[in-house]
Amino acid sequence: MAKKSAMAGTGIKVKKSKNDKVFDFFLYLLAFIIILIVLYPMYFIIIASISNPADVSAGNIVFLPKGINFKGYLKLGEYSQLWVGYKNTILYTALGTVLSLVVNIPAAYALSRRDLCGKKLFTIYYLIPMFFTGGLIPTYLVVKNFNLLDNFWVMVVPFSVITYYIIVARTFFNNSIPDDLWEAAQIDGCGNLNFFFKIVLPLSKAVIAVIALWTAVGQWNSYFNALIYLRSPELQPLQLVLRNILISNQKISAMTTGAAAVEAKQMADLIKYAVIVVSSAPIMCMYPFVQKYFNQGVMLGSLKG
């Protein structure tokens, strides 16, 4: 075994034994099955959204679409509120992600510093709300007292501090930014702010990308806060608009009878699949651009507590 490892380290190809080949085969087979299990539901939703709804209801759609049409997307596009929701969600996601980074990254760096006065007290202060929250009603009253009800900023400001993100980033700073670097920067006359902006942040692209992705996904999929704190249709995010569209279509299909009921039910199902694609596609397209940082940032932030 040691000989094989030494030969592998020198770049010499080592001939695999029969047992190794059998093991590799089953390993690749297991990986393929897992990938298929994960990806097939999304693939099915995509082909179902462009297939004949009758074939979808009858279970005739398995791997390829049948009776390709875009009725679901065309019907969905008729709702003018959809584009308002898209605009709102993009704004909430962009501003919420930026604000989350601005708030959580400096807090994490401060907690990672050994010379922070009252470090344990601040850490406890951040950890307590992570396990014990005030509940919905007290939170609602706080939001109301700050005049944020039915306000654009209620989707961005009140929930920007996330303790878990601070802990992950703090652990990353502890493991990746050595004290010697700070001492060398001090010798060169670098202060705390210059060290943070010019040295720490450029070395922390991995964890920043991970937290930005987590925040963006959370903001994009958020609908509960909007359901509780927003009333004006012009402020509703995409997820709430799509929820309202689904509910209205289900009511229409329930109120009709006979052949019209069957057609309405099929159209409601078609819109349902189209809604999933429309709501998921943008955030899925964003993932490949930060994927190279994702594994690195998560692993480095999870080595030590």
Side-chain angles (χ1 to χ4, degrees), residues 69 71 81 90 114 147 171:
N69 66 84
K71 292 180 180 179
Q81 187 63 28
I90 291 172
R114 296 181 180 178
N147 295 320
T171 307

Side-chain angles (χ1 to χ4, degrees), residues 266-278:
Q266 292 176 350
M267 180 56 69
D269 290 339
L270 206 58
I271 291 176
K272 177 177 66 177
Y273 292 124
V275 161
I276 296 174
V277 175
V278 166

